[in-house]
Amino acid sequence: MATETRASEGLDKYLELIEVRGVSRRTFLKYCGATAGMLGLSASQGGVIAEAIAAEADNVAAARPSVVWLNFASDSGCTESLLKSSYPSAAELILDTISMDYNETIMAPSGEAAEKSRKDAMEAGGYLLVVEGGVPTKDGYGMIAGMNMTAILDEMAPNAAAIIAVGSCATFGGVPAMDPNPSEIEGIQEYLGDDFTVINLDMCPVNPRNLAATIVSVIVLETVPELDEYGRPLIFHGQTIHDNCERRAHFDAGNFVEVLGDENEGKGYCLYKVGCKGPMTHSNCPDVRWNDRTSWCVGAGGPCIGCAEHGWPDEFAGFYERLAGVKIPGIGGVEAGADKLGAGLAVATAGGIAVHAVATGVSKRGKEDGGSE
Ligand code: SF4
Ligand code: SF4
């Protein structure tokens, strides 16, 4: 009871502080409730998350959870996505509770001082390793401070408590790995192999709400969300965009945009005929949206190009080319294609893995390689 009272006082104090920063109590508590929902928890768990974040923020004496963010082969769009969420957002407050010890794009130190930050974090161990971009495996392609990116990943992965690959380049190679893939880029899980568990947060770029919720899960709740067969959290990638699309009623009614920019686009008609890959793309985009849930690709009138899906972009039709194999209401005829792909994407579980289990897997490899735990 005494602990509960102290925690509530701590939360009260934190809520007062964030109001000064322009985030109302209501916004923050609503955000925590929504994050609990995103993680598949009950609404009451939102209060637990809020209390834990407040306690983390208040605990200035303790070291904040360390995050090392590596930038590999990408356009740094995921860092941009994170930074350009409106300021100050509730998501940023969560990110404030961590210590971003290394991120080349935004950190103040450079050169040897930056390298020292990375090495210090590596030696301390137990950090959350976030990787943006694929890893070029061809020798001499993709170097930082004179080291191949492969060597940097080899150094940083074994001592991490958990590893998150953000954006389609880090998850499965993305645009930099497109055929003919001259620098032989691989996704982070593919490169590290089965000794490591990588949480794949797909999309180009990563959605900051999905990232913040995953950080809450890993750091605050100490749990890796249940993953599908591609290492993506099921809570974010368990359903197709088509399942939850706001234009779906028009699809079912046979109302389609025939040419991008026609009057039916503004009426909210379905974008399937102008290339929408929503029927084969598993992602929560219609719910999380972008720019603090203002809008999203399909909502803004652009067909989904499938950036959250394994195999994107090589295995997808052109951005505006019609997806084969979708049964169109009133026209009929199911071909192999989207339905077949959808079946192939049936989920497998790696769920409920505690963070310490990830660390155990990681340290196993570290020991075999003679590295530190
Ligand atoms: S095809 Fe695309 S625009 Fe049409 S309902 Fe499905 S996801 Fe929405
Ligand atoms: S709607 Fe489609 S293209 Fe847009 S972010 Fe989501 S998966 Fe990517």
Side-chain angles (χ1 to χ4, degrees):
M1 187 64 188
T3 307
E4 278 177 21
T5 304
R6 271 203 304 277
S8 295
E9 283 172 0
L11 178 57
D12 256 355
K13 191 172 140 197
Y14 182 67
L15 292 172
E16 277 170 27
L17 280 172
I18 62 173
E19 276 196 310
V20 175
R21 293 187 59 187
V23 179
S24 72
R25 291 167 176 247
R26 189 169 175 275
T27 299
F28 180 71
L29 294 173
K30 199 171 152 196
Y31 182 84
C32 290
T35 300
M38 285 175 72
L39 294 171
L41 305 172
S42 68
S44 64
Q45 289 294 99
V48 174
I49 289 172
E51 294 277 2
I53 291 168
E56 199 79 60
D58 190 46
N59 194 2
V60 288
R64 293 184 172 190
S66 171
V67 174
V68 173
W69 183 301
L70 300 177
N71 287 88
F72 288 165
S74 73
D75 63 358
S76 297
C78 293
T79 299
E80 285 279 323
S81 168
L82 198 62
L83 295 179
K84 287 189 173 168
S85 53
S86 62
Y87 183 84
S89 71
E92 276 179 306
L93 292 170
I94 286 173
L95 296 171
D96 274 356
T97 65
I98 61 174
S99 169
M100 188 78 83
D101 288 334
Y102 182 88
N103 181 324
E104 289 150 22
T105 312
I106 59 174
M107 67 195 294
S110 60
E112 288 179 5
E115 277 307 286
K116 184 176 182 314
S117 298
R118 184 178 68 76
K119 297 258 181 197
D120 286 349
M122 178 187 70
E123 280 161 20
Y127 43 84
L128 177 62
L129 182 64
V130 179
V131 188
E132 173 179 4
V135 59
T137 60
K138 194 165 181 178
D139 190 33
Y141 284 71
M143 302 185 79
I144 299 168
M147 286 176 73
N148 284 328
M149 290 172 179
T150 47
I152 294 171
L153 193 52
D154 288 342
E155 272 194 358
M156 299 307 293
N159 288 352
I163 304 171
I164 303 177
V166 294
S168 58
C169 304
T171 54
F172 311 119
V175 170
M178 281 179 75
D179 187 49
N181 193 5
S183 50
E184 297 169 11
I185 285 171
E186 293 180 2
I188 304 309
Q189 180 74 79
E190 182 184 6
Y191 176 75
L192 290 175
D194 292 341
D195 286 343
F196 294 84
T197 297
V198 177
I199 303 170
N200 279 329
L201 294 185
D202 221 339
M203 279 197 221
C204 181
V206 69
N207 186 290
R209 285 175 61 85
N210 285 355
L211 176 58
T214 304
I215 289 175
V216 166
S217 183
V218 171
I219 288 181
V220 179
L221 306 176
E222 299 190 346
T223 302
V224 172
E226 191 173 357
L227 307 177
D228 71 6
E229 65 172 320
Y230 297 116
R232 305 175 302 182
L234 264 173
I235 42 177
F236 309 149
H237 296 281
Q239 291 185 301
T240 67
I241 283 171
H242 193 60
D243 288 334
N244 297 303
C245 180
E246 63 207 39
R247 295 178 186 255
R248 176 62 186 266
H250 283 299
F251 175 91
D252 292 339
N255 298 328
F256 295 98
V257 172
E258 300 289 340
V259 180
L260 278 174
D262 75 16
E263 61 177 357
N264 293 331
E265 192 178 340
K267 288 181 189 168
Y269 281 20
C270 172
L271 300 164
Y272 165 71
K273 288 188 176 178
V274 288
C276 185
K277 309 299 185 295
M280 67 184 288
T281 303
H282 294 72
S283 186
N284 62 353
C285 304
D287 177 37
V288 287
R289 304 178 171 214
W290 297 88
N291 301 320
D292 282 346
R293 299 191 78 199
T294 304
S295 190
W296 63 297
C297 309
V298 171
C304 167
I305 59 174
C307 75
E309 200 54 77
H310 180 265
W312 182 83
D314 276 348
E315 293 173 22
F316 283 61
F319 288 175
Y320 304 116
E321 284 175 24
R322 196 179 300 182
L323 185 64
V326 177
K327 181 177 180 180
I328 301 177
I331 299 175
V334 183
E335 309 156 35
D339 298 277
K340 205 169 166 187
L341 276 159
L345 292 168
V347 293
T349 58
I353 309 165
V355 173
H356 60 78
V358 179
T360 305
V362 160
S363 59
K364 180 169 164 249
R365 166 132 164 198
K367 278 179 187 168
E368 283 167 359
D369 293 346
S372 62
E373 261 186 275

